[in-house]
Each structure stands twice: as structure tokens, then as C-alpha cells.
Amino acid sequence: TPTAAGTVNEANHTIAVTVPYGTDVTSLTPTIAHTGASISPTSGAAQDFTNPVTYTVTAADGSTQNYVVTVNIAPASAQQLTADRADRQVNLNWATVTGATYYNVYVSTVQGLFTEPAAVTVTDATYNMTGLMNGTTYYFIVKAGNSGGLSEASNEAIATPGTFPDAPTNVIAVAGDGQATVSFTPPANDGGYAITSYEVTVSSGGIVRSGASSPITVTGLTAGISYTFTIKAINDVGKSMASAASNAVIPSSPPGGGNNNNNSNNTDNEEIAVQLADVLLNHQVVEAGAKATVDHGNKMLTIVVDRTKLENRLAAEEQGAIITYRANSSFDRVVAEMDVQLFRSMATKQAVITLETDKAKYVLPVQQINLEALVSQFGDSVALQNIKLKVEINTRGAQNTANSIKDAVSKGVFTLLVPPIEYNIQATYGETTVEVSKFNTFLEHWIAIPDNVNPDSVTAAVVVEPNGMFRTVPIQVVVIENQHYVKVSSLNNGTFAIVSHSAKLKDVASHWAEQAIRDMGERMIVEGTGNLYEPDREVTRAEFAAILVRGLGLPMENEAAPFSDTPQSAWYNNVVNTVYTYRLITGFEDGTFHPNDRISREQAMVMLSRAMIFTGLKAKLPGQAADEALLPYTDAASASNWALGGIADCIQSGVIQGKSDAKLAPQDFVTRAEAATIVQRLLQLSDLI
């Protein structure tokens, strides 16, 4: 205990078994499966494996074959692993393990999630891991190894590489009565840790003042004396080098004589937004009195803009204005906050709100929020300016909800490339909070691909559900100004992670639909049985519904489906209820769905046509009459009347094409290859993949 499996080398007729450190090998009981008539010693008989043991297998004809079984003991696990941060690197140290000949070092950006292969194999009990990203938290474990195999994992160590920030620039001083106001530009490089404060040093008098942002008022100066000032930026690692000195200024005397020793009005948490954040209108920075409230302890930035100033600017813009809340420094959580009265003004302009951080972007067409229904949840007596709407991107807290992703990675379902990022919208008034999470069209959730991730390895995105399960959502990999992004399209907010999935399907090689099947398989939209896809097998109505649900990334509706032939215990119940909820199906007149019937091409086309409504594809169609769209097909008369509109939509959009000899074949059944191909076309033509 625990059970250890042996590896048979048939060429050499040997069997190697590795057991955990501390196992007593003098009395182990092997269970051996064999195809011979008998084996000696017998399977299940305890043996002393201090030295190799030879087993003889005898066949029915009396011939024999010897197998030599060797049991190796894995080393003890490494202990006392420590991780010390440095600039773009982490220095790892651990206690030497007796009997270990090498150590495997593993690194992850998700706590508790480590996968093979190891990042590096070393022979010493120390390693300096370089090439890391400042400001990113890394987790490490070590496994000791020898000829017997690998030990259990060490303790987990954590470190966030970083260094001192660069020095501020553009330091300018303005003299006042016994004081000076010093303004500056924060450094572009914060060293990987958010800048917590700035330190102003006066050229004479030993005066040092601190502030959260520019400008900082330095008091206690003597009238008539010339001063210059230097600034240092401070983060959790330490202080930057001093900036270049400011211009020289000479303070004057305050009215009534003496020095003005009033403290600066700056607070620790309210900073001018031009330093940490910008608000843009149609891609131009606007002077709208924006403020950025900072919670340094939680690395959280909240951006608030003056409603009146922005409304005045917005009034002069055309419909469809783009309002961007942009964080200029790295924070775990970034929130764009506005009152509902401002949001209503944005809705009047059919505006689009964009929230941008260094790692992600969220695009929200304001008309996607039913403002009246939202406000009604707070009561009629609440003033609109008192209800706050908050749009948030959270790159840290989302990782705590990703246990299902960790489980999937450990089981080899996929490889995690970018840790989960959470997108959410909340309306608040007093103690009441209302979450806005569902929309009538696909919203864009953008995630930056780190420099150490190959963009070609990105195949899918998964969203973590509140119940801990996950589902796939459509993605595109896009390059903007030499930076690769994943555009995740979803009808819901949530927690999204970027992954890589391999679909090893042996029976699609050289098939006419091979490219589509492999693409849909890597996106986890179609699935095989083992490593077989069976591309020419006809698909059932329930199976096609499942492929369409996965392709569109629809969240599962877990209640009982409203059809008499769809038991709640069936695997397809949630799928059928989901396509019913989104009005992709209505079922038959007798209240049934026929989930196990094969789906005809015309039935599939009606479902696809309804899906085009919320993918936005249907709105782009020319509106050609159904009989005109079906005119080129010689068998159009065989199509059912109830399906003509859906068939016309699919033909005009290009989602479905006719078969050979100008035939539409509406009554033919859809194969698994055809299902993968037409769902892929739907997503491509809808600009979702």
C-alpha cells in the first residue's frame, strides 16, 4: 500500500516496479496478469524483492519464458523548499535528499497546479529560475529522483519576481507661500509591483515628504531660499533611484508672515486619474475630472469620471460613441464605476464601454443592459445618481474558483496556458447588490497572451461555472500592435481561462471533413469515443443539440426539459433544456423531442437559423425570399414548408451548401462529419472563431 504498477519490457523480458520511499521490500505481494498456462512463483505470493526475483511463465505447450522483476525504491521527498524573488527571477533552495541523484523543478502560475514535464532537472539542491515576468506570482515544487523514480512533491513555495521601480520623470516645482507643489510623471516600469507611494527630498534642510501621487505639496520651506526637489518611487520591493532634480524655486512668505505648515490635501487612496488611469472618448483622452481610487493592499484600482463633464463631451459625439476606462498601471482588480444616470446618458448615445487593463479588456455595448429592469430592483424612490454600476476585471481572485480546471489539467483534459480571469458587472445601492451576467448577444472578453506562451498552442477557452463545472466558449486569436490576444465571445460574464487541448482522432485522416473535425475537436466542441470520431455515422437530434450548445458556449440549463420523452436522468436532458431555453427548438406538436431520432438536414438548418439570431449573422443576410434562395436546387420541393425559412437562411449565409448534382437533400440525415463542418461554418461566419 499504495499499489505500484510495474512496467513490462517484453524485448528484454524484464519488469520494473517503483515503490514509494520507506516501503519494506522484503515482503511485497505482486499480482501478475499473464497469458501463459501458469506462473512460478504464483501471482499473489509474497516475495522478498531486496534482490531481483525471476518469474517463469509456462505456456500450454510446455515452453517457458523467464521474466526478471526488479523493485526500486523512490527517494524521500524534498523538504524546506524556499523561493526568494529577484528581478525577473526566483532563487530556489531546498534540503538535500539522501539517495537522490537528481531533482525535478516544477513551476506554475496557478496554486496547486503542476503538470509534467518538469521545468528543469538539476543535480544540486538549489536553482535560479530566470526569464520570469515581474509582477506575476509563481508557485514551485521539487521532486527528488533516482534510478527508482520520483519522490512525492515537496512543500509548495511561492514568489512574485520584482525589482525597484524606475525613477519618476518630468519633475516640475511651483513655489507657493512657504511651500512648493511638486508634480511629476510616474515611471512606466513599476518593477512588477504596484507603486505604493512617492518620496520627495528637498535639496536643503533635510526635508522629506511623501504622497500617493502627483502632485505632492512640500511644506515647511523658508521664504527667499532656493530649492530643488528629487522624487523616488516606492513599491513593495523598495525605492527607485532618485529622479533628476526639478527646476529651482524660491518660496514666498505667507500672509501675516511665517511659514505655511498646512499638510497636503492628498489622501492615501485618491489619486489623479491621469497618473494611474485614463478615460477616453472615441479613442481621445478627455479632461473629465476622472479620479482613480486605489486600494494598494488589495492591488485594486477604481476609475470614476465626473458625470457632468463627460455628459457634456458625450453630447457632441455621434451615436455609437466608444468610452474607454483604461488602467495605466498593473492591478489585480480594475473597476470602472459610474452612476446609473451617467449610464443612461451613454445608452441614449448607444455607446460602448471598454474597460482595459494590462492583461485583459472587456467590451460592453450599454444597450445590452436593460436599465429599467435593473433600476426597478432597487425601488422607485432611489435616485439614479445614487445607484452605482461597476464593471470589473479581476485577474487574481478568479484563480480561487478554478478547482475544476485544476482537476481537468491533472487528468490531461487540457493544458492551462493563461490563468482564469473574472469579468463581472454589479449594480449597488446601500447594502443591495444586483449582478448583471446574461446578455442577448455575444460580448467580447479579451485576454492578453503572455510572452512565454506560444499563440499557436491556444485552442480553446473554458469558463468556470458557479457550481465549479466548466464549459467551452468560442475564441479567436488576434494580433494587435505585435501583442497576441484571445478574443473570448460569450453570452454571459464569468471566469475565463485559456487552454490548449489535443484531439487525437485516428479515423479522420484523409477524410473530406478532417480539418473541420480536428479544429472542432481541439476547441472541445465535438468529442470522440476514445480516439475514434466515427465521422460517417449519422447523428441524433440530442447529439446535434449538444454540439451546437458547446459550439455557442451556452451555459447549461439544469432543470427538467419540457418534453415527455426526455427524462431528467438522461444525459441529454440539460442539453435539450438549454436549446429549448434559447429557443433553438420547439419540439413536436405532441410535446415530444425525439432525442434519439437521427436529425435531418432541414431540422438542423432550422436550429442553425435560430442560432444566427443571437450570433448576429441573420441580421447580415440580404433577406432573399425562401423560394428564390432554393431555386438552384432541383429537389427543393422535397423540403417541408415549416423549414423553408431556416433552409433559406442557411443557404444565403453559406452555413450549409447543397450536395452533389445541385441537390439540397433536406430529408437526408446529418453525419457527424457534416455536424462538425456546419457548426464550424456558423461560428466562422458569425466572427466567433
Side-chain angles (χ1 to χ4, degrees), residues 579-592:
V579 291
Y580 174 80
T581 300
Y582 282 87
R583 295 296 181 262
L584 302 181
I585 60 163
T586 56
F588 294 93
E589 293 181 356
D590 61 355
T592 60

Side-chain angles (χ1 to χ4, degrees), residues 595-609:
N596 296 313
D597 287 358
R598 294 170 295 176
I599 191 169
S600 66
R601 284 168 58 85
E602 67 177 11
Q603 290 173 343
M605 283 188 269
V606 170
M607 292 179 66
L608 293 165
S609 171

Side-chain angles (χ1 to χ4, degrees), residues 536-555:
D536 297 319
R537 177 169 66 80
E538 292 168 344
V539 69
T540 67
R541 287 167 53 82
E543 289 171 334
F544 185 79
I547 293 173
L548 189 55
V549 165
R550 289 194 295 267
L552 296 171
L554 302 180

Side-chain angles (χ1 to χ4, degrees), residues 636-658:
S638 63
S640 303
N641 289 333
W642 55 265
L644 293 178
I647 295 172
D649 289 341
C650 288
I651 292 172
Q652 292 179 75
S653 64
V655 170
I656 282 188
Q657 301 167 358

Side-chain angles (χ1 to χ4, degrees), residues 131-146:
L132 303 179
M133 296 180 63
N134 284 343
T136 297
T137 299
Y138 294 90
Y139 303 88
F140 304 90
I141 60 170
V142 171
K143 294 181 181 180
N146 60 19

Side-chain angles (χ1 to χ4, degrees), residues 356-388:
E356 295 183 0
T357 76
D358 60 329
K359 296 182 178 67
K361 181 172 71 172
Y362 183 28
V363 181
L364 171 66
V366 296
Q367 289 188 315
Q368 278 301 305
I369 294 183
N370 186 334
L371 203 54
E372 302 308 318
L374 179 63
V375 171
S376 67
Q377 298 186 61
F378 295 94
D380 298 333
S381 61
V382 179
L384 296 183
Q385 63 267 26
N386 293 331
I387 302 175
K388 305 301 181 184

Side-chain angles (χ1 to χ4, degrees), residues 431-444:
E431 299 298 321
T432 303
T433 298
V434 177
E435 185 172 350
V436 182
S437 60
K438 294 184 178 181
F439 306 95
N440 295 323
T441 190
F442 285 88
L443 300 191
E444 298 176 8

Side-chain angles (χ1 to χ4, degrees), residues 167-173 182-186 214 231 243-247:
T169 57
N170 302 322
V171 183
I172 300 173
V182 184
S183 62
F184 53 89
T185 300
S214 173
I231 311 287
S243 68
S246 71
N247 55 297

